[in-house]
Amino acid sequence: MAGSAAIALGAPAAKAQQAAQPAAEQQADQKKKADEKAAAEGTLLDKILVISRTGETAIQSLASASHVDQEQLDRRMATTPNEMLLGVPGVAVQADARRVSSSINIRGLQDFGRVAVIVDGARQDFQRSDHGTQSTFYVDPELIKSVDVIRGPTANTYGSGAIGGVVFFDTKDAADFLKPEETWAGSLTGRYESNGKGWTTSATGAYKINESWDVLGNIVYRDYGDYKNGGGDTVAGTGFDVLSGLLKTSIRPTENSELKLGWVGSSDSWTETSGGVPANDVDLKSNTFTARYNITDDARSWLDLHINASYNKTNLDLTTLTAQNRFDPTTGLPVVLPVGSTSTFDVGTTGIDIWNTSRFETASVAHELTYGGDWVGDDVETGGTAGGDSFYTPSGKRKVSGAYIQDKLTWEWLEVIGGLRYDNYSLKDDTNETSGDRVSPRITIGVSPFESAGLAGLQFYGTYAEGYRSPSLTETLISGNHPAGVSFPFLPNPNLKPETGKTVEFGVNYKQNDVIEGGDALRLKAAYFNNNVDDYIDRVTLSPFDPTSGCPFGPGIPICLQYQNFAKAKINGFELESVYDAGWGYAGLSASIISGHTISYEGERADLATIPSSQVTAQLGLRFLEDKLTVGGEVQYNGKPRGNPVAKDFTLVNAFASYQATDNLKLDFRADNLFDVKYTNPLNGSTTAVLYEPGITLKLAATMRFGG
């Protein structure tokens, strides 16, 4: 709060540049705009969370929740999902050289469903075993209108396994694109990026068939070459081509109900390298189909029903470009994988999610009782040439289901949330089968003890929550010999125990208007968390010289790799998110400080490799020319995680400008990594070679809009 206020206090000097009007008239106009902005609850933390099951905003939520809206996404001019989540506390993205494939990390937890990534209600469960990213998803930022994040297992009402948290991507709607007086509209966007000499072309069209039915379509094409890092060196394998599309219709049968039907698809291609030499052509096809129905009736407070159904299919094909020396996955003996050999990864995920919220009062206590259930099924099929990469991502089926009940009680200054969730899972292949279940509790208590004007918006809360994650198919069933470099076996482990996340969190929310001048707004969320993940699953190295390890002697080096349980992983940290917004500009400050380690059943402690950088991000934007022009920048400090072999401290500086030249023409400019810093993402420490991120990147875009 102090950091945001300090930035904000320094900003009024920029107002002196708007001297075209008389001072009194200018102040009156600015106050009017600020009042209108505050009335519309314009700060990010005041936006209703799409993911919320009780219609809360981020600032109202007794949890670590964040919202990224369309304005922020436009400002960031994101090319990859990584750029959409800049500055969101506790969130990092691993994307190695395959920039369109992203894995999200929340509070040091990622991969294999620890973070539930959801697009329009559809779980994204694609997974491919590799040295880099494991569980990845594919969605183009141009199709997204907002992103919601809930950190920690308090998100367990949003699906099984999310012991790290949930990230919900909501795609664009016709109702948001069309102006109130329009029945149709379209837009065209062209964008150029200097680093990698990349082009993006996007076209959007929307049509209102009648007051109860509208439709929107969007198509995006991106063509990017290999980028240069901050040292001026070209990073091989970082170029890509993307063709993405969105088709979405909203039907409102009654004034209290809505049905949304959607399709999001992409056709991506890139080249993977080995030792700087092209090794594989990669073609990916991803299609997500969703149906979301809700009915809410204010006259029947017990009815707020939501039904979501989805199917997501991802097909990834590798084709070798050069003959590759490999090891046979069964015998471990050397083989040659000829040019044109293929490996295929096909993952289909079916899901259904149903819940209802009933609102009522008992005595003077208000209740929001939410209850529901969900089911997700993963069907994994891999194949191709023996010795190809697909052999190490096992085929199989996994089913995960759950049911929950949660009551939010509100009485004057006191708010209590209590809930229980039941989870059940089963997974199998041709020879193995395993299953399990558990009940996980949550209790949250929030108090707003002050009534004075300056402190009335101050709220404290404490939470204890548990989450339950079943082992994945890969963790349980992976087998065969390491494909390249050296030979050694992977061992399956059908006896893996599920992970149980147990989090204690203490937080504060602060909401205050008219802080410095009439109509401005200050919002702040801060939290300390301590997460113990019992029976944490990670890879371990076994020795054939240990007769109890189950590791056999064979061709290659004398080791084996296997996923095993650890007694626990202990992760703790602090998060801050704050924003000050007034008519003439805004300022924001966010921070995330995190550390973590694993503890074996023998008591041995080791640094956790998935701990991201601790970060502090400051943002400042100023509005001119009756809000037509916004200019600003971002500064982000990243601290080296403990024990990471490749990471260093680094600071990034970005700048941006957006100009609404006319009602139909908008110009955007952005400069990322303005000082051309050479740095690497700590999460890429598991890759075979150090991968440096893009150096200075200039982006320029123009958008033409038309409608009637």
Side-chain angles (χ1 to χ4, degrees), residues 128-129 316 318 326 329 342-346 380-395 479 483:
R128 169 190 168 195
S129 297
L316 187 147
L318 296 180
R326 293 292 183 109
T342 60
S343 296
T344 60
F345 305 79
D346 298 338
V380 180
E381 294 183 9
T382 59
T385 308
D389 290 349
S390 59
F391 192 91
Y392 310 94
T393 302
S395 300
S479 63

Side-chain angles (χ1 to χ4, degrees), residues 613-614 637-641 646-651 677-680:
S613 294
S614 292
Y637 168 77
N638 294 262
K640 168 185 168 67
V646 301
K648 296 180 180 179
D649 297 353
F650 63 92
T651 300
V677 176
K678 186 176 181 180
Y679 70 101
T680 186

Side-chain angles (χ1 to χ4, degrees), residues 235-278:
V235 181
T238 56
F240 59 89
D241 296 319
V242 170
L243 178 64
S244 299
L246 162 69
L247 187 61
K248 194 172 185 181
T249 184
S250 298
I251 304 168
R252 291 166 286 277
T254 69
E255 63 178 359
N256 299 316
S257 62
E258 182 177 50
L259 172 66
K260 290 185 178 182
L261 303 175
W263 165 79
V264 178
S266 67
S267 176
D268 305 348
S269 62
W270 64 92
T271 299
E272 293 183 345
T273 62
S274 177
V277 177

